[in-house]
Amino acid sequence: QNKVVTNIVLSGCILNIVLKRGVSGKPTVKVSAECGIGRVDRFPEWVDAAGYAYYYNISRLNAGKSATFTNNDIRKYSSAGAYDQFYPNVDWRAETLGQIKPYTKSTVALSGGTDALSYNVHFGWVREGDIYKVGENAAFNRFNLSTGLEFFVNENIKVDVNVRSSIQISRQPIFGTGTKSEYPMHDLLQKAAG
């Protein structure tokens, strides 16, 4: 038998955790790697500068106030580019966010042993980039390590040692100074989305 099954009961559900065991024989090493890209296929739709001016005027008129932007202003916003000094029309989503992000996954597994001692070590690394185009490169990294060791002290005593650990490291762009948020870009997008 080269697996150990642990049952954990969580609120009436049973979670089975299966840990591989080392087997007697020569040490074996298995290495795997994969990479690819993920594509974001859906973004919130935001209006451009001309659309914002138009709907802002409507909201003011509905509140019984006068319009802020003239029809000439709205026309200039719609025909201006991102770098117009007086009527800029910037697509901030396209300027700050891409649509694809890289993905990498690597694993190394080592197992083997004798009749008296068997072991299994598994190391995994997952890295995922991000879609931010601004600030420092954002990244998500997770490192997993699981080990299984089984040995006999004597013919009546067998010892099983299992250790599982995981470390997650993520980095996001920081905007401005003095922010205390752990997720500043997320907060910025939430504010921008209204």
Side-chain angles (χ1 to χ4, degrees):
Q1 182 178 357
N2 64 351
K3 293 183 180 180
V4 170
V5 178
T6 303
N7 294 325
I8 299 175
V9 178
L10 300 171
S11 301
C13 298
I14 297 177
L15 174 65
N16 291 322
I17 299 174
V18 180
L19 299 175
K20 288 187 177 179
R21 285 276 187 229
V23 293
S24 300
K26 292 181 180 179
T28 59
V29 178
K30 294 181 181 179
V31 178
S32 68
E34 61 184 72
C35 63
I37 57 171
R39 184 178 184 280
V40 179
D41 61 353
R42 189 181 309 170
F43 276 113
E45 294 297 326
W46 296 331
V47 296
D48 62 0
Y52 175 82
Y54 173 78
Y55 288 112
Y56 186 74
N57 279 350
I58 289 178
S59 69
R60 287 185 59 85
L61 293 171
N62 288 339
K65 300 178 181 179
S66 61
T68 301
F69 301 98
T70 66
N71 287 337
N72 190 40
D73 289 336
I74 294 172
R75 192 182 80 256
K76 287 181 179 179
Y77 276 122
S78 65
S79 62
Y83 301 104
D84 188 283
Q85 185 175 359
F86 299 105
Y87 296 94
N89 191 4
V90 182
D91 183 350
W92 287 110
R93 183 182 69 197
E95 292 290 322
T96 59
L97 302 174
Q99 284 195 301
I100 60 172
K101 56 185 178 179
Y103 167 82
T104 306
K105 180 180 178 182
S106 304
T107 60
V108 177
L110 174 66
S111 64
T114 65
D115 290 337
L117 169 71
S118 62
Y119 58 89
N120 183 67
V121 179
H122 179 271
F123 176 76
W125 172 49
V126 175
R127 176 180 173 81
E128 190 172 338
D130 222 317
I131 59 173
Y132 303 131
K133 292 182 178 179
V134 293
E136 292 185 20
N137 290 336
F140 167 83
N141 289 278
R142 186 176 63 231
F143 302 91
N144 297 314
L145 176 65
S146 62
T147 60
L149 182 65
E150 180 182 283
F151 62 93
F152 289 89
V153 176
N154 59 41
E155 61 183 23
N156 297 317
I157 300 175
K158 181 176 82 169
V159 177
D160 289 331
V161 179
N162 296 294
V163 177
R164 296 181 61 174
S165 61
S166 179
I167 297 174
Q168 180 174 309
I169 302 169
S170 60
R171 183 178 63 231
Q172 294 185 353
I174 302 291
F175 292 88
T177 57
T179 180
K180 294 183 179 177
S181 172
E182 293 183 19
Y183 305 101
M185 186 63 176
H186 177 267
D187 295 346
L188 177 70
L189 292 174
Q190 289 293 96
K191 288 178 183 176

